[in-house]
Amino acid sequence: MQRGDVIADDQALVRTGFGMILAADGVEVTAEAADGAEAVDAVRRTRPDVVLMDIRMPGMDGIEATRRILGGGPDGCDGTRVIILTTYDLDHYVYAALTAGASGFLLKDVTPEHLVAAVRLVRSGDALLAPTITRRLIERFAHREESPRTGLHRDLSGLTPRELEVLRLLATGLSNAELADRLFLSPTTVKTHVGRILSKLDLRDRVQAVVLAYESGLISPQGPPGTD
């Protein structure tokens, strides 16, 4: 059962615009928020499926609001997922959003079609990064001398060769459908492989899998062999 979505942005025009785009495609918006504190309260009241969360807002910003919503404390909400929306294409915002538990990161110049698709994808339990962001931004912290404390370092020895291959390609930003095409597998088989990877490595979603692939050295910023 769908519970609707929440839009959090300090600009009323942005909230209205996003709301109209989603409503036109049959996606219900149950609440709006002008800052992080309002977003946390809206989530507590309406228990949405997805929150579209701006980063820079007065008072509590979107990163802190995301931490509170997804952190499992009194402000948390099981089953709610967060997509970060921002005009700022900056590395540290991406990393902060991912470590706060966000399931996706999109720039505000996203097309209406892509926005709707992103909401539906994340609602289904998947996760995403904008194609222009996936490799270019994660690669920066993958090469720092002191890697951020993500707690995502895992022993990859438990993965099969096929699962390692799937993880490498997943880290380049490929969707399940694209993975299926690349590996000549059915989408169902790919979904099974991804699920097993997440389970074996104790990862929440494919966003954490992407981070892990870079930080473990499984994939370099140039991508795995044979990728574009």
Side-chain angles (χ1 to χ4, degrees):
M1 179 179 178
Q2 293 186 1
R3 301 177 297 189
D5 298 334
V6 168
I7 300 174
D9 195 288
D10 61 339
Q11 298 183 46
L13 187 60
V14 172
R15 298 196 304 271
T16 299
F18 287 156
M20 291 176 64
I21 290 170
L22 294 175
D25 209 75
V27 178
E28 181 184 7
V29 176
T30 56
E32 296 182 4
D35 58 41
E38 288 186 10
V40 172
D41 181 64
V43 169
R44 190 186 300 117
R45 287 186 291 103
T46 66
R47 305 186 68 80
D49 289 314
V50 177
V51 181
L52 296 177
M53 183 79 75
D54 188 23
I55 289 182
R56 290 191 174 185
M57 295 185 288
M60 185 189 300
D61 65 21
I63 300 300
E64 178 59 25
T66 298
R67 289 193 185 101
R68 296 194 182 193
I69 291 168
L70 303 178
D75 294 325
C77 181
D78 290 341
T80 294
R81 300 169 74 84
V82 175
I83 298 175
I84 297 292
L85 280 162
T86 182
T87 57
Y88 301 96
D89 186 359
L90 300 177
D91 303 281
H92 68 278
Y93 286 128
V94 175
Y95 183 71
L98 300 186
T99 56
S103 294
F105 186 102
L106 295 172
L107 301 182
K108 286 185 180 178
D109 62 2
V110 63
T111 65
E113 295 78 13
H114 195 180
L115 176 64
V116 171
V119 169
R120 294 192 183 282
L121 181 71
V122 168
R123 178 184 282 125
S124 73
D126 211 332
L128 65 93
L129 294 172
T132 58
I133 293 174
T134 303
R135 186 183 303 169
R136 180 168 53 84
L137 297 189
I138 291 181
E139 71 185 27
R140 179 173 178 178
F141 67 76
H143 282 288
R144 291 176 181 168
E145 291 184 4
E146 294 184 3
S147 184
R149 296 180 180 178
T150 62
L152 291 182
H153 297 287
R154 302 282 194 273
D155 181 1
L156 303 182
S157 62
L159 299 183
T160 67
R162 175 63 90 180
E163 289 166 350
L164 284 170
E165 184 178 21
V166 170
L167 179 56
R168 287 190 187 98
L169 293 174
L170 183 155
T172 68
L174 297 185
S175 67
N176 281 0
E178 291 167 332
L179 284 168
D181 288 341
R182 180 71 66 89
L183 298 173
F184 303 102
L185 299 173
S186 71
T188 300
T189 300
V190 168
K191 185 175 182 179
T192 297
H193 282 311
V194 173
R196 286 175 178 167
I197 291 168
L198 300 183
S199 178
K200 286 182 177 182
L201 299 178
D202 192 25
L203 300 174
R204 181 186 61 249
D205 54 37
R206 63 195 297 133
V207 169
Q208 286 194 335
V210 170
V211 174
L212 173 62
Y214 279 92
E215 290 200 328
S216 67
L218 180 66
I219 181 174
S220 72
Q222 290 71 39
T227 61
D228 296 332

